[in-house]
Amino acid sequence: MAALMSAMEKPVYRFGEFELDPEERRLLVRGEPVALTPKVFDTLVLLVERAGHAVSKDELMHALWPRGFVDESNLTKHIWLIRKALGEADHGGRCIETVPKCGYRFVAPVQCIAREEIALRQSMVTTSRMEAASLAVSEPGDSASAAASTIVERGIEDRQRPVVGAVPAAMPPSQSSAPSGAPTRSVVFGSASRRRVWLAALGAGLAAVVVLIAWRTMTQQPSALPNRTLGTAVAIVAFNNLSQNAKDAWLGPALGEMLATEIAASDRLHVLPDELVRPARADLAVPLAGGYAAQSLAALRTRLGTDYVLSGSYLVSGAGEQPQLRLDLSLQDARSGAAVATLTRSGAVADLSALVIQAGAVLREKLGAPLVSGSQLREVAAAQPPTAEVARHVGFALDALHKYDAARARDELLQAIAQAPGYAPAYMYLAQAWSALGYRAKALAASKQAMANAHGLPEEQRLQIETQQYRMQADHSGTVETLRKLAALRAHNPEYSLQLVEALCAAGKPDEAALVLTALHKLPGIDDDPRAELAAVKIANVRDDAKAAGAHAQRALQLAQARGDPGLIANAQLQLGIASGDTATAQSLLRQAATDYSRIGNPHGEALSYQNLGNVLFARDQIAPARETYQHAMTIYQGIGDLGGVAAIYDELTRMLWSAGDRDGAETAVRQSLQIARETNDLERQAWNLTGLATLLADESDSDEVSAMYQQAIALDEQAGIRTHHVYALATYGDLLRQRGELAQATRICNEALKEVKTLSDAWLLATAEFGCAQTALDRGDVDAAVTSLKAIEKNAIASGDTFNAANAQLVLGQIAMGRQQWADARALLESSLRGWTVSQGFAGQAVSESLLALCYSALGDTAARDKAAAQATTLRGQVNQRAEVLPVDLALTQLRGETGARESAIDRLRALADDADKRRWKGLAMEARLAVVQLLERGNDAAATKKSRDDLAASARQLGFGWVTQRLAMGTNTDAPVTR
């Protein structure tokens, strides 16, 4: 009661033709709602509450973003959006004034209206409308009976239909299953390939974004098939709130969900997801008492491919503890335009479930479905809210999820769960809300609670909850298995087969996904369904077939445009923009996709479009525009409270800044992402960010702090059961231990990674783990084993078109050949490596290859080729901005300078480089520098200095176990040990 009184004391603000209700989070203009994102709404409230007074930018920034993750441009955009929403030129003149060097002032006259006055006015409107309704609608005999109804027959055909049905699709999670914002640590022996590995991870990151896009947009904007032979498809449109009282707004979404559950009790009926229906009906006139006009009904048929449309209205009347509800429904045949039935139900709001059960039974009958068994009815009843109060909280939550206000949805669902702790659907929706906010651990916990309480629900809904849990756990095999069951349960419903294609792609099984899609094409109408083409895009992306991805995306766009489906048009533009190899075309498509997503009220799709646009600009080295575009995406994510999306943008900024050589900026960005991951308890993102931060810091030193970060990441992976990143973290940690000279520990770690990766279907990870083990084996002196492994990596990489791993393997094989003084073999291997790095624009790899080739050409007596390679290496070195990548180039070029005349200065420089590497804990590189010193000393006449340097290095190598250094010291200038390809 105290909370109710507090809410009643809060005023409603009126200015011009607008009415602002902060408590109900509602803005009306002439009685019609105005859509604002949560942060924009909060900005307006702050200004209106201080009307007539200047509010500083600092005060607004602190109130709106207390965490301090944004800059002033976000506030500027919010003010612009408010001015646009208020239509300052159309609704009472200017409302917001800019106060120079200060902030903003709300200047429109504001009137505070007591909430009691609003309630009295709404009560009068309700009474008037009820009186009008009593004259316009024929009431059944006893108006006080909750079971009373009037049904008008309209000649529905009673025929058998194939199975199609499913309850509406759930709102998908807001994050990809594999955060990709972390820098990658190099696992290249003596090369400058860290930046190249980074770019390889960027490609994986882009793929992860594509997967994320597909999951969100494909489930949020699904589309029914236009051929009715797949089953009876029913579209439920929004129910009109006749009283326009915000406290009753929950009934619309609650009724839609509850009636969908009732209708889907028959396996011959399929209810289209609300996420599809909302954008399809957005520009159509509100249906009247008898349903949609013929033209609007035809438009829905074209856009949705639906067989029937169910519309209606509701009216809540009466005060006190027993308000009354009148529900009017209209069922129309979208194919013929005929009215099938009208239905009226009246009773207490508290008896909502009974009203819905009765209406559902009648609707199933009128739709020609056979009688549902008693056990099925009990399962459907278990899926419905147990009380009207629980339904109220769920209804408000669904409304909030539809408006991308996940924080409000979360709060409502927590209230629903407090009242009904065993109600599984509330936990299912709560998992979606937590996920949309970026709290993956909490989302998973809620999903597990949904699963624990799913007994007694219809089988389809139990499987949907199970699928959600597997998805949130990133358990691809579990997701695939449950989707196979759903696809078998609803054999004629394409929804689950399309989701199965997506799950198989996420599991790295494009061939199985292609088989499912081929089988799906046997259903009528699929050939003209844009979603089938978008599914083919996913398969092509997993296969790295950019040409096929572009062709399927182009076809999807043509089909979506033919159907006039705004959601699918945006989806296709997004995928086509990603697939396009032309920068201008990609930018145009992605910008148009963002605009279209904004038009249909999908901020997630809009943000993802800008995020991918930023990726395109970054890949083209357009750093400033990319950064601005990422910031735009971040503003949208912040506006809807999606911390996961905000963290993803920080991940993108980390990669971009690192690539551009801004280590401080990159470190700041990755720390911001890590902070969000810790706040949201996102263990997987924490692991990625820790490995990324460790990689950044390792460019200064392989310190104990860096080592501890890798260990923390590995522990988080083990805690969360994240196997893919666990392998990656083990491999990179093993490389750090190898460089630090801890070869025994490095061997143990790399073998652990190799053992685990063989249980996964990830060729890139397998090559990474194998490469790390080969490097460690080489350092320890097991050269033959290293050569065998590297040759296998090279062969597999060439076969799969993996230029990075092929060039990397050839680079190390070339270094081995140089160590054995097989100069012709070394030259051939390094030239092959250089070609691979050139094709893939791996500047660090090119620089290392050129510097080593200069040494080879010098040994072979080709001075012209030597000088050219040295000049190329020097030029390329200027494009490499990480110390750990520059050092191998400097070692080779300094040694070359010592061999061509400046021996003493080269020796001094090599010793300085060795000392610097020692300070940074790069023991392997330090030994390579000292080995070069020994080789230059051997060319001189100072036998004592040569012996001392040789003995000191040999002792250090034996102590740390660097057998390859020991072997080269003992090898002298001749060897017959061949390195064959």
Side-chain angles (χ1 to χ4, degrees):
M1 179 61 72
L4 177 61
M5 291 299 295
S6 176
M8 290 297 290
E9 291 171 359
K10 294 181 180 179
V12 175
Y13 300 98
R14 185 177 296 158
F15 48 92
E17 296 179 310
F18 289 88
E19 185 175 282
L20 177 66
D21 188 341
E23 179 66 21
E24 296 292 343
R25 298 189 66 81
R26 177 187 64 195
L27 176 65
L28 301 176
V29 57
R30 296 190 295 271
E32 295 296 325
V34 179
L36 295 177
T37 62
K39 285 290 185 186
V40 174
F41 185 90
D42 292 340
T43 308
L44 176 61
V45 170
L46 287 170
L47 292 172
V48 171
E49 287 178 342
R50 299 274 299 277
H53 301 279
V55 185
S56 72
K57 293 180 180 179
D58 288 343
E59 183 178 352
L60 289 167
M61 294 284 289
H62 179 74
L64 294 167
W65 297 285
R67 293 152 49 83
F69 287 160
V70 301
D71 57 35
E72 191 176 300
S73 65
N74 299 320
L75 177 61
T76 303
K77 181 179 179 180
H78 282 16
I79 297 297
W80 178 83
L81 290 171
I82 293 173
R83 285 170 169 161
K84 181 180 179 182
L86 298 183
E88 293 185 342
D90 303 321
H91 302 295
R94 190 178 186 186
C95 294
I96 299 176
E97 175 184 81
T98 300
V99 182
K101 298 183 179 180
C102 177
Y104 302 95
R105 179 187 293 113
F106 197 86
V107 296
V110 176
Q111 181 183 7
C112 294
I113 309 298
R115 200 167 290 275
E116 291 85 349
E117 178 182 337
I118 299 291
L120 177 61
R121 174 166 55 85
Q122 290 176 335
S123 176
M124 294 175 64
V125 171
T126 298
T127 302
S128 174
R129 291 186 177 181
M130 284 191 67
E131 291 174 352
S134 66
L135 295 175
V137 180
S138 173
E139 287 285 344
D142 183 4
S143 61
S145 171
S149 66
T150 298
I151 302 173
V152 182
E153 299 290 343
R154 300 297 184 188
I156 183 173
E157 296 181 16
D158 183 14
R159 60 177 181 269
Q160 300 295 312
R161 298 178 183 273
V163 177
V164 167
V167 297
M171 184 178 180
S174 67
Q175 276 185 240
S176 66
S177 61
S180 55
T184 58
R185 180 178 177 81
S186 170
V187 287
V188 181
F189 168 75
S191 78
S193 301
R194 293 190 181 201
R195 185 173 187 269
R196 183 59 186 87
V197 179
W198 173 276
L199 294 177
L202 172 62
L206 287 173
V209 172
V210 172
V211 170
L212 172 63
I213 291 164
W215 166 237
R216 284 181 174 159
T217 58
M218 289 293 288
T219 49
Q220 287 180 338
Q221 299 293 343
S223 178
L225 295 176
N227 193 310
R228 67 176 181 267
T229 60
L230 290 175
T232 303
V234 182
I236 302 179
V237 302
F239 294 93
N240 297 326
N241 179 4
L242 294 180
S243 72
Q244 294 296 307
N245 193 330
K247 70 181 181 65
D248 301 322
W250 64 273
L251 272 162
L255 283 168
E257 195 76 353
M258 294 171 74
L259 285 170
T261 301
E262 289 291 330
I263 292 173
S266 170
D267 58 9
R268 298 185 182 182
L269 303 177
H270 170 45
V271 179
L272 301 182
D274 184 68
E275 289 78 11
L276 164 67
V277 178
R278 276 184 286 112
R281 65 168 177 79
D283 60 343
L284 301 179
V286 176
L288 303 175
Y292 276 104
Q295 185 176 359
S296 296
L297 191 65
L300 284 173
R301 169 65 179 168
T302 300
R303 295 174 182 179
L304 300 174
T306 187
D307 298 303
Y308 296 95
V309 173
L310 177 65
S311 60
S313 61
Y314 62 91
L315 182 65
V316 178
S317 60
E321 298 181 357
Q322 291 294 328
Q324 298 296 301
L325 169 66
R326 177 191 175 94
L327 176 62
D328 293 287
L329 303 177
S330 175
L331 183 65
Q332 297 172 279
D333 189 324
R335 298 158 299 177
S336 65
V340 177
T342 59
L343 172 65
T344 297
R345 282 288 184 272
S346 299
V349 172
D351 296 327
L352 176 64
S353 291
L355 297 178
V356 170
I357 289 172
Q358 296 163 17
V362 174
L363 290 171
R364 288 195 301 270
E365 178 186 355
K366 295 293 112 183
L367 288 166
L371 292 177
V372 177
S373 69
S375 61
Q376 287 177 301
L377 289 176
R378 285 191 292 273
E379 290 177 345
V380 171
Q384 300 290 20
T387 67
E389 184 64 13
V390 172
R392 184 176 74 86
H393 288 299
V394 171
F396 274 133
L398 290 171
D399 178 66
L401 287 174
H402 295 160
K403 295 176 180 176
Y404 296 90
D405 189 351
R408 182 162 63 94
R410 172 203 58 200
D411 295 343
E412 292 288 349
L413 290 164
L414 288 172
Q415 291 291 328
I417 289 169
Q419 296 179 28
Y423 184 48
Y427 287 108
M428 181 179 71
Y429 298 133
L430 180 61
Q432 296 161 18
W434 279 125
S435 184
L437 291 168
Y439 289 82
R440 301 181 70 193
K442 291 185 177 182
L444 179 57
S447 179
K448 289 180 177 179
Q449 285 295 320
M451 193 65 207
N453 291 282
H455 54 276
L457 295 179
E459 182 182 6
E460 184 177 12
Q461 196 163 2
R462 291 199 306 270
L463 289 171
Q464 288 174 338
I465 290 173
E466 189 175 351
T467 301
Q468 175 184 265
Q469 181 180 343
Y470 283 131
R471 273 178 171 150
M472 289 186 172
Q473 289 176 315
D475 185 337
H476 299 310
S477 61
T479 303
V480 167
E481 182 180 353
T482 51
L483 283 172
R484 287 193 191 279
K485 293 178 181 178
L486 280 165
L489 183 67
R490 301 289 194 176
H492 297 284
N493 180 5
E495 303 291 337
Y496 296 125
S497 292
L498 288 169
Q499 291 182 41
L500 179 56
V501 169
E502 179 181 346
L504 287 166
C505 287
K509 299 180 179 180
D511 294 341
E512 290 186 39
L515 291 175
V516 173
L517 187 57
T518 299
L520 187 60
H521 271 284
K522 296 178 182 179
L523 291 178
I526 288 293
D527 289 344
D528 296 325
D529 190 337
R531 293 175 307 158
E533 292 299 322
L534 289 172
V537 172
K538 294 177 185 296
I539 296 171
N541 284 331
V542 176
R543 290 172 169 169
D544 290 328
D545 189 343
K547 183 177 180 180
H552 287 297
Q554 182 66 55
R555 173 64 175 161
L557 179 58
Q558 294 169 350
L559 293 174
Q561 290 171 335
R563 295 176 61 176
D565 188 315
L568 285 177
I569 289 173
N571 291 352
Q573 289 169 338
L574 185 59
Q575 296 296 338
L576 188 56
I578 293 169
S580 177
D582 179 73
T583 303
T585 301
Q587 290 187 49
S588 175
L589 285 164
L590 292 170
R591 291 186 189 280
Q592 187 59 51
T595 299
D596 289 348
Y597 279 127
S598 177
R599 186 178 297 117
I600 63 176
N602 184 347
H604 270 300
E606 183 182 4
L608 285 165
S609 298
Y610 284 121
Q611 187 173 348
N612 278 276
L613 177 59
N615 288 337
V616 170
L617 295 169
F618 169 38
R620 305 302 189 273
D621 290 327
Q622 299 180 37
I623 304 301
R627 187 169 189 168
E628 181 181 349
T629 305
Y630 285 142
Q631 185 65 44
H632 194 170
M634 182 182 289
T635 300
I636 298 172
Y637 283 132
Q638 289 168 330
I640 58 178
D642 183 357
L643 291 180
V646 173
I649 297 300
Y650 277 125
D651 294 341
E652 305 286 8
L653 289 170
T654 300
R655 275 196 301 275
M656 183 186 73
L657 294 168
W658 170 262
S659 180
D662 185 353
R663 282 191 291 271
D664 291 339
E667 182 179 343
T668 300
V670 76
R671 287 188 184 277
Q672 292 280 28
S673 183
L674 179 60
Q675 179 180 343
I676 294 174
R678 285 171 170 162
E679 178 181 336
T680 59
N681 198 28
D682 185 340
L683 301 185
E684 184 174 4
R685 189 177 292 280
Q686 287 183 56
W688 275 97
N689 290 151
L690 281 167
T691 52
L693 184 57
T695 299
L696 289 168
L697 297 178
D699 195 49
E700 290 289 338
S701 168
D702 282 347
S703 64
D704 292 340
E705 178 190 11
V706 171
S707 179
M709 287 181 178
Y710 279 118
Q711 293 175 39
Q712 291 174 40
I714 291 168
L716 287 169
D717 288 332
E718 292 170 352
Q719 179 183 346
I722 305 167
R723 300 177 65 201
T724 299
H725 186 265
H726 187 242
V727 171
Y728 174 74
L730 286 170
T732 52
Y733 180 46
D735 180 60
L736 174 130
L737 293 170
R738 179 186 67 82
Q739 286 282 29
R740 283 164 55 107
E742 301 172 28
L743 296 183
Q745 179 75 345
T747 301
R748 185 184 68 80
I749 292 295
C750 83
N751 286 336
E752 184 180 344
L754 192 58
K755 179 180 178 181
E756 185 171 354
V757 77
K758 289 180 179 178
T759 67
L760 305 175
S761 299
D762 193 319
W764 192 87
L765 265 182
L766 177 61
T768 299
E770 289 177 336
F771 200 89
C773 290
Q775 291 178 198
T776 305
L778 177 61
D779 280 351
R780 296 184 68 175
D782 194 351
V783 185
D784 290 338
V787 169
T788 299
S789 181
L790 290 166
K791 287 169 65 178
I793 294 171
E794 177 194 21
K795 180 180 178 181
N796 292 334
I798 291 173
S800 62
D802 181 357
T803 55
F804 167 62
N805 278 310
N808 231 356
Q810 290 161 352
L811 183 60
V812 181
L813 285 169
Q815 289 173 310
I816 295 172
M818 290 176 64
R820 289 176 163 177
Q821 300 176 20
Q822 301 297 312
W823 302 108
D825 287 339
R827 177 185 59 193
L829 285 160
L830 292 171
E831 287 175 346
S832 293
S833 178
L834 177 60
R835 286 193 293 270
W837 295 126
T838 303
V839 168
S840 57
Q841 294 186 332
F843 298 121
Q846 290 181 62
V848 175
S849 297
E850 291 280 19
S851 64
L852 295 176
L853 275 169
L855 288 173
C856 284
Y857 294 137
S858 179
L860 292 169
D862 190 342
T863 56
R866 176 200 68 193
D867 294 343
K868 180 179 179 182
Q872 289 284 358
T874 302
T875 300
L876 288 163
R877 183 195 180 284
Q879 301 181 52
V880 182
N881 47 40
Q882 279 77 48
R883 292 182 180 88
E885 297 179 336
V886 168
L887 184 54
V889 182
D890 288 345
L891 291 179
L893 292 178
T894 303
Q895 184 174 3
L896 179 66
R897 189 170 70 249
E899 292 178 356
T900 56
R903 189 167 60 87
E904 294 300 328
S905 64
I907 289 173
D908 290 341
R909 173 61 175 158
L910 286 169
R911 284 173 171 161
L913 291 173
D915 290 342
D916 183 64
D918 271 332
K919 292 177 183 178
R920 299 181 189 279
R921 306 287 291 273
W922 297 341
K923 294 294 184 181
L925 289 173
M927 287 196 176
E928 294 297 320
R930 291 194 170 96
L931 180 60
V933 169
V934 171
Q935 291 170 344
L936 287 181
L937 285 171
E938 288 177 338
R939 294 173 178 267
N941 298 318
D942 192 339
T946 302
K947 184 178 185 305
K948 185 178 186 310
S949 293
R950 173 184 288 276
D951 291 346
D952 289 345
L953 179 57
S956 296
R958 283 194 300 270
Q959 179 184 359
L960 294 174
F962 276 83
W964 178 228
V965 172
T966 302
Q967 290 176 31
R968 283 178 287 170
L969 278 172
M971 194 175 297
T973 58
N974 296 296
T975 180
D976 296 326
V979 176
T980 58
R981 296 203 53 197

